[in-house]
Amino acid sequence: MAARVIVVTGFEPFGPHKENPSQDIARAVHGRRVRDHVVHGAVLPVHHADTGRHVARLLAELRPDAIVHLGLANGRARLALERTAVNVLDYALPDNAGRCIVGEPCATDGPAAYFSTLPLTAMHAALTREGLPAYISNTAGAYLCNQTMYGTLHALALVPDPPRAGLVHLPSLPSMVAVSGLDEPSMDLALMLRAVHVMLDVVASDLATA
Amino acid sequence: MAARVIVVTGFEPFGPHKENPSQDIARAVHGRRVRDHVVHGAVLPVHHADTGRHVARLLAELRPDAIVHLGLANGRARLALERTAVNVLDYALPDNAGRCIVGEPCATDGPAAYFSTLPLTAMHAALTREGLPAYISNTAGAYLCNQTMYGTLHALALVPDPPRAGLVHLPSLPSMVAVSGLDEPSMDLALMLRAVHVMLDVVASDLATA
Amino acid sequence: MAARVIVVTGFEPFGPHKENPSQDIARAVHGRRVRDHVVHGAVLPVHHADTGRHVARLLAELRPDAIVHLGLANGRARLALERTAVNVLDYALPDNAGRCIVGEPCATDGPAAYFSTLPLTAMHAALTREGLPAYISNTAGAYLCNQTMYGTLHALALVPDPPRAGLVHLPSLPSMVAVSGLDEPSMDLALMLRAVHVMLDVVASDLATA
Amino acid sequence: MAARVIVVTGFEPFGPHKENPSQDIARAVHGRRVRDHVVHGAVLPVHHADTGRHVARLLAELRPDAIVHLGLANGRARLALERTAVNVLDYALPDNAGRCIVGEPCATDGPAAYFSTLPLTAMHAALTREGLPAYISNTAGAYLCNQTMYGTLHALALVPDPPRAGLVHLPSLPSMVAVSGLDEPSMDLALMLRAVHVMLDVVASDLATA
């Protein structure tokens, strides 16, 4: 019998950022086992249209039990477990296709928002227990991270027995802050990687008992 | 011939903090060699009077070439290379003797401020090169960290050929932020330890060429 | 023919706050005329259950063309035109009935979120033109302000030709920050009152052309 | 007998700022009486060399009892009563002569710092009593505001019975934040003007009893 899959996605660097920790983590966790599951890590483009197509392909091909999107939220001090994705695209920082979008919906026929279907409360509790700074966030913004979370949940809305899905925002890497000269918080890659393991373990445990 | 010494001090936990990364680092670097120097790590009490006596003893007994004070500045996102210590004690958070001090001088006969005599610009450049977030800070506050830096530089002001001296403020540990629930930046201990090594190497190199 | 009505609500003080600018403004605008409309200002209790009942009564009795909720968001630097209300109650600061709620829906049968039906983009543009700091916010939090906005939009969801409805979060008053000793932004009441006039004028103008 | 004088200085706009509240206030208070004193308001250039010459002229011609420098510190939320000016110029934002300075002293022969000789504690208490957000700040930065405060105190260091002197940093104006789109605090000009009156009254009262 084939191993069950949890997909973890990261994003390419974008805008002024030469690095993106979500990409590094997606690569680092690829192939790891978490309880009964094997992790499939994938890097998504930062592109208003291609990103969704890439996710659709992952869902169709891998039929995962869960998909955890990781994204960069520079300026945040802690891991942000996103509670909600809203049906809004509104960003002035061009995506990697050079496109800005002001006040459009992610899906013209979609509801105002979707809730994450990841076990956020248990994930948050496990992270805190491990001394890893995290919080349950009330906004995933209106950039491509939010769009990806919204798009995935919208695509899964009509699927019977859909996989769990959601998004976690990561702080900047220390090296990004060192170079930028900005007074911004950061988090070490090793620490974030440990946090992702803790979260995936909660997800896998939750799937086992579901 | 006895090895030359660089002293690195940390502080005990204080106030609401159960941990203090400066203490952990002072212990971790004790006994390490940096170029021609051996590091002596020491943990200082957080006490308006005892701290200075403790430092005086270290200076008298070890006759170091440099003394680098490390302290905790929760809320800061980056390593803060303190440029200046001012002749002010002004704090509402009790020290570990239960004492608060409002608007008194560190030394009644002292000047308004002392500059750090550590090679801050070179330290900052080396940290940035290594991808470690740091900045040259214009205020060490008015709590015991500032007092310790001021007190050390004041004690050394009359010494011929005095050791280099200064203070670096550290962010909170991730575990401190996880427990507090506050939206505050943090820095992993391993990263801070690496940063202290980078800084000590610059100090030792600077002493060699001086 | 009776004048058409725009309702503006504020909240009582709550938690550690002795004042609440939203209350002051709701009182100050009561009875004013804005184009073809007369403003009805009302102060809502900060109470998980009573607040909604109070709003229901206002809607039933006054049959307004628009209802603009104002609330306090201490810590924010600018007027926050809330884009979305989410179906979540999650707060550790007791309401004025002494109640905390962790992770419950505003309405068990409700959708994940509602969008504000106020003309946010035009309101934002008018405020900026007048030199008044504002932004379109992606989260109204998970406290009673969000609940009130959600509850109103949920109540109006089945009404044919419903009034426009939404929420604007206000910064703290200067006097609140002066007393607290916290390093938080504030906004003068006169400035906020001017901003509310600018916003109501946009709402009334929008209603006239709708 | 000629009226005794308190000088209040502001600065021109600089860098990206089209406005500077300190300039507006210096003009607004010019000619006002505060107890036994008349206020002389003056606008200083933002120029590494001219600023000091301009202040020297004011001191020589007006022989004031006190000189209160006002400057803009965008990003700060409250009035910052500066405790200390340090002997450092270090700024990457060009002054209005197009000059940047990295790590030079304000005065090659000067001490590390000077303390403000304004009655900061009484000023802070009076502002708090009036509901005006303020704090005693431990750093005036390393830009021209700090240089001006340092330069004035350095020039007065050898004067017998010198006038009181110091610097207060002001937040941005609301209109500056509205235009910038930045998430920064601001303070209304009317409120800042009221705060300056409160502070000048404390200064004048203090001079009367000295």
Side-chain angles (χ1 to χ4, degrees):
Chain A
M1 179 191 136
R4 296 159 71 193
V5 174
I6 296 175
V7 169
V8 173
T9 70
F11 284 101
E12 302 172 330
F14 60 93
H17 310 298
K18 296 271 181 293
E19 303 177 81
N20 189 330
S22 69
Q23 169 180 266
D24 301 332
I25 291 176
R27 285 176 181 151
V29 296
H30 183 70
R32 296 215 187 178
R33 297 197 70 92
V34 181
R35 302 194 178 216
D36 292 343
H37 289 78
V38 65
V39 178
H40 182 97
V43 177
L44 303 176
V46 174
H47 184 291
H48 56 281
D50 286 355
T51 314
R53 286 194 281 263
H54 196 122
V55 173
R57 217 155 43 225
L58 288 168
L59 292 172
E61 290 173 9
L62 298 167
R63 302 192 162 274
D65 283 350
I67 179 162
V68 179
H69 298 300
L70 303 175
L72 167 64
N74 60 304
R76 299 214 196 179
R78 300 177 292 169
L79 299 160
L81 315 189
E82 297 299 346
R83 197 193 308 257
T84 320
V86 294
N87 194 7
V88 176
L89 284 163
D90 196 359
Y91 54 92
L93 177 69
D95 69 18
N96 288 350
R99 180 88 179 280
C100 295
I101 296 182
V102 177
E104 291 185 18
C106 300
T108 46
D109 60 333
Y114 286 103
F115 285 123
S116 174
T117 55
L118 299 174
L120 300 188
T121 305
M123 288 158 68
H124 182 213
L127 291 166
T128 302
R129 218 156 40 225
E130 295 289 322
L132 299 163
Y135 70 111
I136 298 181
S137 161
N138 288 316
T139 174
Y143 196 59
L144 297 199
C145 292
N146 171 74
Q147 182 193 26
T148 302
M149 177 175 164
Y150 186 94
T152 298
L153 288 160
H154 190 53
L156 296 173
L158 298 176
V159 171
D161 197 17
R164 304 296 184 89
L167 169 74
V168 176
H169 265 129
L170 310 174
S172 294
L173 290 168
S175 52
M176 297 166 71
V177 172
V179 167
S180 75
L182 297 175
D183 185 19
E184 284 193 347
S186 61
M187 195 174 278
D188 198 31
L189 187 63
L191 201 82
M192 292 202 261
L193 191 51
R194 189 148 69 82
V196 169
H197 284 156
V198 168
M199 291 189 281
L200 292 179
D201 188 69
V202 172
V203 170
S205 159
D206 194 62
L207 288 168
T209 61
Chain B
M1 179 190 136
R4 295 159 71 194
V5 173
I6 296 175
V7 169
V8 173
T9 71
F11 285 101
E12 303 170 331
F14 61 92
H17 310 298
K18 298 271 181 292
E19 304 178 80
N20 189 329
S22 68
Q23 169 181 263
D24 301 332
I25 290 176
R27 285 177 181 150
V29 295
H30 183 70
R32 298 215 186 176
R33 298 198 69 93
V34 181
R35 300 192 179 220
D36 291 344
H37 289 78
V38 65
V39 178
H40 182 97
V43 177
L44 303 177
V46 174
H47 184 289
H48 56 281
D50 286 355
T51 314
R53 286 194 281 263
H54 197 122
V55 172
R57 217 153 45 224
L58 289 168
L59 292 173
E61 289 173 10
L62 298 168
R63 302 192 161 276
D65 283 351
I67 179 163
V68 179
H69 298 300
L70 303 175
L72 168 64
N74 60 304
R76 299 213 196 180
R78 301 177 291 169
L79 299 160
L81 315 189
E82 297 299 346
R83 197 193 306 259
T84 321
V86 294
N87 194 6
V88 175
L89 283 164
D90 195 359
Y91 54 91
L93 178 67
D95 69 17
N96 288 350
R99 180 89 179 280
C100 296
I101 297 182
V102 177
E104 292 185 18
C106 300
T108 46
D109 59 334
Y114 286 103
F115 284 123
S116 175
T117 55
L118 299 174
L120 299 188
T121 304
M123 289 159 66
H124 183 213
L127 290 167
T128 301
R129 216 155 42 224
E130 296 289 322
L132 298 163
Y135 69 112
I136 298 182
S137 162
N138 288 316
T139 173
Y143 195 60
L144 297 199
C145 292
N146 171 74
Q147 182 193 26
T148 301
M149 176 174 164
Y150 186 94
T152 297
L153 288 160
H154 190 52
L156 296 173
L158 298 177
V159 172
D161 196 18
R164 303 294 184 91
L167 169 74
V168 176
H169 264 130
L170 311 174
S172 295
L173 289 168
S175 52
M176 298 167 70
V177 172
V179 168
S180 76
L182 297 174
D183 185 18
E184 285 192 346
S186 61
M187 196 175 276
D188 198 31
L189 187 63
L191 202 82
M192 292 201 260
L193 191 53
R194 189 147 71 82
V196 169
H197 284 157
V198 168
M199 290 189 280
L200 292 179
D201 188 69
V202 172
V203 170
S205 159
D206 194 62
L207 287 168
T209 61
Chain C
M1 179 191 137
R4 296 160 70 194
V5 173
I6 296 175
V7 169
V8 173
T9 70
F11 284 101
E12 302 171 329
F14 60 92
H17 310 298
K18 297 269 181 292
E19 304 177 81
N20 189 329
S22 68
Q23 170 180 265
D24 301 332
I25 290 176
R27 285 176 181 151
V29 296
H30 183 69
R32 297 215 187 177
R33 299 196 68 92
V34 181
R35 300 193 179 217
D36 291 344
H37 289 78
V38 65
V39 178
H40 181 97
V43 177
L44 302 177
V46 174
H47 185 291
H48 57 281
D50 285 356
T51 314
R53 285 195 280 264
H54 197 121
V55 173
R57 216 154 43 225
L58 289 168
L59 292 172
E61 289 173 9
L62 298 168
R63 304 192 160 275
D65 283 350
I67 179 163
V68 179
H69 297 301
L70 303 175
L72 167 64
N74 60 303
R76 300 215 195 178
R78 301 177 291 169
L79 299 160
L81 314 190
E82 297 299 347
R83 198 192 310 256
T84 321
V86 294
N87 194 7
V88 176
L89 283 164
D90 197 358
Y91 55 90
L93 178 67
D95 69 16
N96 288 350
R99 180 89 180 280
C100 296
I101 296 182
V102 177
E104 292 185 19
C106 300
T108 46
D109 59 334
Y114 286 104
F115 285 123
S116 175
T117 55
L118 298 174
L120 300 188
T121 304
M123 288 158 67
H124 182 213
L127 290 167
T128 302
R129 218 156 41 225
E130 296 289 323
L132 298 163
Y135 69 113
I136 297 182
S137 161
N138 287 316
T139 174
Y143 195 59
L144 297 199
C145 292
N146 171 74
Q147 182 193 26
T148 301
M149 177 174 164
Y150 186 93
T152 298
L153 289 159
H154 190 54
L156 296 173
L158 298 176
V159 172
D161 196 17
R164 303 295 185 90
L167 170 74
V168 176
H169 264 130
L170 310 174
S172 294
L173 289 168
S175 52
M176 297 167 70
V177 172
V179 168
S180 76
L182 297 174
D183 185 18
E184 286 192 345
S186 61
M187 195 175 277
D188 198 32
L189 187 63
L191 202 82
M192 292 201 260
L193 191 52
R194 190 147 70 84
V196 169
H197 284 156
V198 168
M199 291 189 280
L200 292 179
D201 189 69
V202 172
V203 171
S205 159
D206 194 61
L207 288 168
T209 61
Chain D
M1 180 191 133
R4 296 159 70 195
V5 173
I6 296 175
V7 169
V8 173
T9 71
F11 284 100
E12 301 172 330
F14 61 93
H17 310 299
K18 296 271 180 295
E19 304 177 80
N20 189 329
S22 69
Q23 169 180 263
D24 301 332
I25 290 176
R27 284 176 181 151
V29 295
H30 183 70
R32 297 216 186 177
R33 298 197 69 94
V34 181
R35 300 193 178 218
D36 291 344
H37 289 77
V38 65
V39 178
H40 182 97
V43 177
L44 303 176
V46 175
H47 184 291
H48 57 280
D50 286 355
T51 314
R53 286 194 280 264
H54 196 122
V55 173
R57 217 153 46 224
L58 288 168
L59 292 173
E61 289 173 9
L62 299 168
R63 304 193 160 274
D65 283 350
I67 179 163
V68 179
H69 298 301
L70 303 175
L72 168 64
N74 60 304
R76 300 214 195 178
R78 300 176 291 169
L79 299 160
L81 315 190
E82 297 299 347
R83 198 193 306 259
T84 321
V86 295
N87 194 6
V88 176
L89 284 164
D90 196 359
Y91 54 91
L93 178 67
D95 69 17
N96 287 350
R99 179 89 179 281
C100 295
I101 297 183
V102 177
E104 292 185 18
C106 300
T108 46
D109 59 334
Y114 287 104
F115 284 124
S116 174
T117 54
L118 298 174
L120 300 188
T121 305
M123 287 158 68
H124 183 213
L127 290 166
T128 302
R129 217 156 41 224
E130 295 289 322
L132 298 163
Y135 70 112
I136 298 182
S137 162
N138 288 316
T139 173
Y143 195 60
L144 297 199
C145 291
N146 170 74
Q147 182 193 27
T148 302
M149 177 175 164
Y150 186 93
T152 298
L153 287 160
H154 190 53
L156 296 173
L158 298 176
V159 171
D161 195 18
R164 303 295 184 89
L167 170 73
V168 176
H169 264 130
L170 310 174
S172 295
L173 290 168
S175 52
M176 297 166 71
V177 172
V179 167
S180 75
L182 297 174
D183 186 18
E184 286 193 345
S186 62
M187 196 175 276
D188 197 32
L189 187 63
L191 203 81
M192 292 201 261
L193 191 52
R194 189 148 70 83
V196 169
H197 284 156
V198 168
M199 291 189 281
L200 293 179
D201 188 69
V202 172
V203 171
S205 159
D206 194 61
L207 288 168
T209 62

